[in-house]
Amino acid sequence: MPQDALRRLTAGESLSREEATGVMRRLMDGQATPVQTAALLIALRMKPETVEEVTGFALAMRARAVAVRPQRTPLLDTCGTGGSACRVFNVSTAAAFVAAAAGIAVAKHGNRAVTGVCGSADVLEALGARLDLTPEQSAEGVDTVGLGFLFAPGHHPALRQIGAVRRELGIRTVFNLLGPLANPASAAYQVMGVYDARLGPLAAQVLRELGSRRALVLHADIGLDEISTIGPTQVSELRDGQIRHYTLTPRDLGLTGPEPDPVSLAPRDTPAANAALLREVLEGRTDGDALARHHLVAVNAAASLRVMGLIEDWAEAARRASQLLREGRALAVLERYLAFTRSLEKSE
């Protein structure tokens, strides 16, 4: 089957949803060699992927995932693809704590960096969070703290050998897109950044096929998989089965001053340095370059408030997110989450 799929993909043909599901199952079962797996990933990227293929892959991953079942609903995920051309600090992770501070139940899926320096798992670990939580403990985090971090390797054990191939390839593959589409808690609400503008409409359609209620799929023109405070952002918004596409500008978000220097938004060289940066944002600092980072997190947290139906107006949502940061409420969620993970008995 992997050889048949590879022949078709390299010929520029597409797989059906059922065929894609079968291919992913075989990859997870170890029925493809590392060379075959790498070839499949490259062939998919070159073709490129279709809605049916990505939906089939995601369905197979969800079926094999170690599930998390919080009592609280509805659930939000802020996991993005990563791998964007423009690199910034851990914005979606910071925004997840702001969303939780607004009373949203967040089941954040995430992983270590594959093509970058510091993924969501890396920065949380550097802050002092434990990553080795059981599904029950992760669910408890959502229910008691308002946020649970779902560390991808613990919930998708069948993908371990594929992860080794991805790291060796060192390039973006369909798995960058699949991570946010395979939330182990089946979060029905999602804010998802994508590394390529063409993936926005595709991801929104896949989320609809997977049963999402509402989603915002984002790509900024500067090459960022987040809402940007520098230039426009392309948005694909799924709402109750309908998808619309529009452009969001900094002015729409209530920002009227000069655009920030991109250097102020760049990630640092180590997880520890990025953790310090994230903590600084959650502390509500707005002095010097910290203001630019504050605004970037606020506008991305605004997406969570909008997608959950709490605040419709983008500028108002950004102001509310900024207030949650300035009041230290997002920082309080972080501190509670760190204390929660440290209090748990180590999972076997």
Side-chain angles (χ1 to χ4, degrees):
M1 180 68 171
Q3 294 96 326
D4 292 340
L6 185 56
R7 278 192 290 270
R8 292 182 57 190
L9 293 171
T10 53
E13 299 177 21
S14 297
L15 306 178
S16 69
R17 182 181 304 192
E18 293 74 19
E19 288 169 334
T21 299
V23 168
M24 181 58 71
R25 285 173 179 162
R26 284 165 175 78
L27 291 180
M28 292 188 294
D29 288 339
Q31 294 181 20
T33 68
V35 171
Q36 290 171 334
T37 300
L40 280 165
L41 296 181
I42 293 171
L44 279 164
R45 180 175 174 182
M46 297 299 292
K47 188 176 61 71
E49 309 91 345
T50 66
V51 170
E52 288 297 296
E53 288 169 338
V54 177
T55 301
F57 293 149
L59 285 170
M61 288 179 63
R62 287 186 172 203
R64 294 284 185 88
V66 178
V68 175
R69 307 190 189 282
Q71 296 298 308
R72 288 186 62 182
T73 58
L75 298 175
L76 169 74
D77 189 7
T78 65
C79 180
T81 62
S84 58
C86 177
R87 298 297 174 89
V88 295
F89 66 100
N90 301 90
V91 174
S92 64
T93 305
F97 286 100
V98 182
I104 298 168
V106 181
K108 177 162 175 52
H109 197 204
N111 206 342
R112 298 191 184 278
V114 175
T115 58
V117 174
C118 184
S120 54
D122 301 304
V123 76
L124 287 173
E125 187 175 58
L127 283 163
R130 281 181 41 199
L131 303 180
D132 61 335
L133 275 59
T134 67
E136 294 75 20
Q137 290 168 338
S138 293
E140 184 181 352
V142 176
D143 291 333
T144 61
V145 179
L147 182 143
F149 181 70
L150 315 183
F151 186 37
H155 296 279
H156 302 285
L159 299 179
R160 282 178 185 148
Q161 63 180 12
I162 299 174
V165 172
R166 290 181 64 200
R167 285 189 293 274
E168 192 167 349
L169 282 175
I171 61 172
R172 296 174 301 198
T173 70
V174 68
F175 279 95
N176 287 79
L177 183 59
L178 287 171
L181 299 173
N183 184 286
S186 299
Y189 294 75
Q190 191 138 353
V191 176
M192 175 180 173
V194 292
Y195 61 79
D196 189 321
R198 73 170 180 84
L199 296 176
L202 182 148
Q205 291 178 67
V206 173
L207 285 167
R208 179 171 60 187
E209 293 298 311
L210 294 173
S212 292
R213 290 287 307 280
R214 290 190 179 187
L216 286 162
V217 186
L218 314 163
H219 178 81
D221 287 3
I222 62 170
L224 178 63
D225 63 329
E226 312 278 0
I227 294 176
S228 179
T229 52
I230 304 173
T233 299
Q234 306 307 316
V235 181
S236 294
E237 183 168 21
L238 168 66
R239 183 175 291 204
D240 299 323
Q242 302 299 313
I243 298 172
R244 70 184 186 102
H245 311 285
Y246 56 93
T247 300
L248 198 61
T249 69
R251 185 172 292 274
D252 296 328
L253 296 160
L255 301 177
T256 57
E259 292 183 342
D261 182 349
V263 174
S264 66
L265 306 175
R268 300 299 187 253
D269 293 334
T270 66
N274 283 288
L277 209 61
L278 189 148
R279 180 176 283 279
E280 174 189 279
V281 173
L282 297 187
E283 287 172 350
R285 284 185 54 183
T286 57
D287 54 307
D289 287 346
L291 180 61
R293 294 187 285 273
H294 174 96
H295 282 156
L296 187 59
V297 170
V299 299
N300 280 279
S304 295
L305 302 182
R306 178 182 170 88
V307 82
M308 297 301 296
L310 299 183
I311 302 176
E312 286 292 310
D313 181 76
W314 277 102
E316 182 184 349
R319 285 192 294 271
R320 177 57 178 153
S322 176
Q323 181 183 15
L324 291 168
L325 287 166
R326 293 174 189 271
E327 291 176 351
R329 292 177 63 181
L331 178 65
V333 176
L334 171 65
E335 298 293 9
R336 290 199 302 273
Y337 182 72
L338 297 180
F340 165 75
T341 68
R342 292 166 184 159
S343 72
L344 300 170
E345 293 184 8
K346 189 171 183 178
S347 60
E348 296 299 328

